[in-house]
Structure formats: C-alpha cells, structure tokens
Amino acid sequence: MIIRWKLAVMAIAAGGSTCAAPLGDWRADAPGTVHRITVADLPKAFATPPAGAPPAVVPRPAGAKLSTLPGYSVRLFAKLDGPRQIRVTPGGDIFVAETDQGRIRVLRAADGAPAAAAASTFAEGLDRPFGIAFYPPGPDPRWVYVAAANSVVRYPYRAGDLKASGPAQTVVAKLAATTRGHSTRDVAFSADGKRMFVSVGSASNVAESMPAKTSEEAKAWDAGHGRGAAWGDETDRADVLVMEPEGAGRRVFAAGLRNCVSLAIQPMTGAPWCVVNERDDLGDDLPPDYVTAVREGGFYGWPWFYIGGHLDPRLKGARADLAGKVLTPDVLLAAHSAPLGLTFYTARAGPAAFPADTVGDAFVALHGSWNRGARTGYKVVRVRLRHGVPTGGYEDVLTGFVVGEGSVWGRPVGVATAHDGALLVTDDAGGAVWRIAYDRKALARR
C-alpha cells in the first residue's frame, strides 16, 4: 500500500513553473492515501483569491466505480430520496433522514445481506430533519429523537417499530431566534443519558451582521452565555448546546464552532466530538475544516479567530481579549472539504466487521468543495485513534465520486456502523446508501 503525506511545502510542476501544492486535490486521492495537515502548513490569508465553483451533479457515468481498501467491498445498499444523516438502532434497524422530504425512513436488512430488504417511513411532516438519536442509551431505547431545522422532537419507540406509534412530542420548541444560514442540527446523548447535546450552525459566514459590543459588553455577554458565544442574530448559533433530555437547563456547552454538522460520542472517553465546516473566502487552503473533541466551556474561534489564535483579518481588532484562549482542533482536514458525517467504529464481530484495529477509530464523510480552485472532498476518510486520541492525519477509505473538475455523481453525507459490522454511507446527490464490508476470505485469496 502506498502512503502519500500531503504537505504544504510539497512542490508540483505546473506549466513549466513550480508552485506550492494545494492541501487537498481530488486527483491525488486514493484508498490508503494518508493526508496530514498541521498548523505550521497554513498559508497566509488571501494567498489565493476566493473561488466559487459548485460542481454539476450528473448521473453516474457508465463504468464509474467506487474504490475502497484491499479486502473491502463497496456495494449499493439502498436507494432513497436525498438521504442525509444515518443512525443504527441497537437491534440493527437503520434510520435515515430524508431532509428535503421532511421525513425519517427506516431500512432493514439481515446481517450480511448486501442490500436492504425493506424501507418504511417512520415519521414525516418535519422541517428539514437531520439529527437522529435513540434514548435512553443502551440496548433498549424508548424514544427516537429528531433534530429539525429549529427544534428537537421525539417519538415513542419500541424495538422493531417501522412507524412511529405516536405523534411527535416537542422537546425544544426553538433552538435559536434565527433560522437562516446553516440548517443541519444534530443530537447526541452522553453515555449515562443525563445530557443531550445539540449542534447549531451559524447564520452566516463571519457574522457580518452581528452588531459591535464594547470590550466590557462582550465580557458581560460571555459571563452569561459562555466564552466566545456570539450574539445578535447569531445567539445560540455556532455552538454545541447541552441540556437535560427533556430540554431543561439549556446552556452553551462550547462556542465558536461555525457549523458542527455531526455530533458523536467518543466511546472510550465519553466526550462529544464534532465535524466542523469552517468559513469561506480566505483562500483555497484556509481555514481547514476539522474533526475535534469538544471541550466543555471551550471556544474554537468563530468568527474572530480560526485554528487556534489565527486572527480573521476581516474582523481585525474585535475580541482581542480572546486571543490566546482559542482551542486548536484535533485533526485538520483540507479546507472546504465539507465534513458532514461522523461515527466511531464499534463493531467487534459480524460477517462484515472490519479488522480489530479499526474499533474506536472515527470515520468521516466529506461532502466536497464548491468554493475552491482545486476540488477536494467527495470521499470517506478514517481518523485513527489510540486510547481515544488521534494519532495524526486521516486516510482515504472510499473515493471515486468525482467525474472531473466540473462534475460529480455522488456526495457522501452520513456514516454509521451497521449491526453486521459494515460501514454505511449516505449519498444525497446519488440518492443512495452505500455499504462497505470487509471480506477476510477475499483478502486471503489475493
């Protein structure tokens, strides 16, 4: 297996001249390729001009194939209408948010089956549902929680239910005063079931319409809302909120996370983790998106700083009191990769289970760039952890969705571990759920 280390100092020939290689480029992606981006690799702001190049989503070309690691296979598991977040019950049923359709679907498949045998509608009539969680944690949940665009609701649940047995109960009627901008909300519970975490993305790129506060006013706001918490129409946004499972005692758990799309609880430490989409228009390689454990009371920079103490030049002079108090994320991803899905691999047995050294690692779905000169993302990657701590970098696991610089035929969104050990990946552009399985017998025959 060839491993390439992607570094900012690497040079490539281009038209007879030498230029710095971008920190991400789909043409260099392949299963097994390892990418490592460090704070020292970051270029200066505006090193490249802002770019806008949304890809055309095209039908899957004839002969187009996805690629994964040796010993693994990838197959179409189900077709759905714009599937986004995906979660699996303790009993193995697979819940999928069809966000644009306002509904939650349920897939069912026997262990080892290459495709889903049935699809049902569990709930509908929701406002852009995304996050899904089962409560209480453990083998016998009694509720399905759903995070919609500006609320959290729950449905009664018994193992095996393919349709909600009762109407939605409102847990949080309003997450924030505004709804424009980022609309994905995720929900997760602490392992002991005592705390509910909800992620709420920002309303804007860099809080352009947020009114100014004096230093004293800003400090007073922090005292009541948490270090670095935004205000105005960004109140309770760009945050991870925490509250009791019934919605009481709501407060900001961590701030400055521009758009924490997916939340997951790290099994070994019990800490909540996020995949975060950072801001735009600072250049192709700024700022990196990231995967990180989320520390209680932590401030991750948005909108005034990025990736530690790097000041956003567009907000120069604002919140100087926060300099030196900004946390640096754990794993940096190529800027504008758009990480949307996060799961920790937990299967220790099953006909499709991955090798034992995979247990505890994080898998991340990168939806792909639209605002970058060199297209990046459109893949699933693995973040290796040891004792709950990332070992550095991330490895390509699933690639092949890009047709060329101008078009793609799929965009990964959610990832989840199936009951049989397979890794399930939703693709909202292709309307598909993909299944990655490990085949020890096939590998032995190689």
Side-chain angles (χ1 to χ4, degrees), residues 270-284:
W273 281 58
C274 273
V275 289
V276 176
N277 288 204
E278 255 289 355
R279 69 204 73 192
D280 301 323
D281 299 331
L282 287 181
D284 277 4

Side-chain angles (χ1 to χ4, degrees), residues 160-199:
D161 285 355
L162 296 176
K163 183 176 177 61
S165 60
Q169 297 183 10
T170 299
V171 178
V172 182
K174 181 184 288 187
L175 288 168
T178 58
T179 58
R180 65 183 176 85
H182 298 114
S183 64
T184 53
R185 312 285 181 254
D186 207 3
V187 57
F189 292 98
S190 60
D192 62 8
K194 294 181 179 180
R195 297 198 289 181
M196 179 172 72
F197 302 97
V198 181
S199 60

Side-chain angles (χ1 to χ4, degrees), residues 117-131:
S120 303
T121 298
F122 182 81
E124 54 191 339
L126 293 155
D127 180 15
R128 291 164 287 171
F130 185 81

Side-chain angles (χ1 to χ4, degrees), residues 66-369:
L66 295 175
S67 298
T68 189
L69 299 165
Y72 293 76
S73 63
V74 55
R75 292 184 174 88
L76 179 64
F77 183 72
K79 292 290 289 183
L80 292 174
D81 194 348
R84 302 276 280 171
Q85 190 59 284
I86 182 169
R87 297 283 188 250
V88 179
T89 70
D93 283 340
I94 301 153
F95 279 61
V96 183
E98 289 182 328
T99 300
D100 289 347
Q101 307 306 316
R103 63 190 176 213
I104 303 298
R105 302 273 275 167
V106 185
L107 303 174
R108 180 170 289 174
D111 283 358
S120 303
T121 298
F122 182 81
E124 54 191 339
L126 293 155
D127 180 15
R128 291 164 287 171
F130 185 81
I132 304 168
F134 309 106
Y135 183 82
D140 191 25
R142 289 290 182 260
W143 299 95
V144 177
Y145 278 67
V146 178
N150 203 29
S151 65
V152 178
V153 301
R154 67 181 185 180
Y155 296 89
Y157 177 75
R158 291 293 184 271
D161 285 355
L162 296 176
K163 183 176 177 61
S165 60
Q169 297 183 10
T170 299
V171 178
V172 182
K174 181 184 288 187
L175 288 168
T178 58
T179 58
R180 65 183 176 85
H182 298 114
S183 64
T184 53
R185 312 285 181 254
D186 207 3
V187 57
F189 292 98
S190 60
D192 62 8
K194 294 181 179 180
R195 297 198 289 181
M196 179 172 72
F197 302 97
V198 181
S199 60
V200 184
S202 70
S204 63
N205 185 33
V206 284
E208 297 89 345
S209 63
M210 193 167 72
K213 285 184 180 292
T214 66
S215 177
E216 290 72 21
E217 289 171 338
K219 289 178 181 178
W221 180 266
D222 282 5
H225 296 82
R227 177 180 291 170
W231 55 80
D233 61 3
E234 299 286 359
T235 300
D236 286 335
R237 305 198 63 167
D239 295 330
V240 171
L241 306 175
V242 65
M243 61 201 79
E244 296 173 12
E246 289 74 29
R250 183 171 101 177
R251 59 186 174 84
V252 174
F253 182 82
L257 299 140
R258 179 174 176 263
N259 188 21
C260 167
V261 182
S262 277
L263 278 166
I265 303 299
Q266 205 279 333
M268 179 171 288
T269 64
W273 281 58
C274 273
V275 289
V276 176
N277 288 204
E278 255 289 355
R279 69 204 73 192
D280 301 323
D281 299 331
L282 287 181
D284 277 4
D285 290 321
L286 278 184
D289 292 333
Y290 56 87
V291 187
T292 193
V294 181
R295 287 171 49 185
E296 187 165 5
F299 172 58
Y300 289 83
W302 189 89
W304 303 283
F305 299 87
Y306 61 88
I307 313 301
H310 292 81
L311 178 67
D312 190 315
R314 296 166 293 189
L315 300 173
K316 187 175 181 179
R319 293 312 307 261
D321 58 301
L322 293 173
K325 299 177 182 178
V326 185
L327 298 178
T328 300
D330 290 300
V331 180
L332 305 185
L333 307 171
H336 314 302
S337 293
L340 300 191
L342 169 67
T343 193
F344 290 96
Y345 190 81
T346 55
R348 296 183 179 274
F354 292 9
D357 68 355
T358 310
V359 174
D361 286 351
F363 286 84
V364 177
L366 305 182
H367 199 232
S369 63

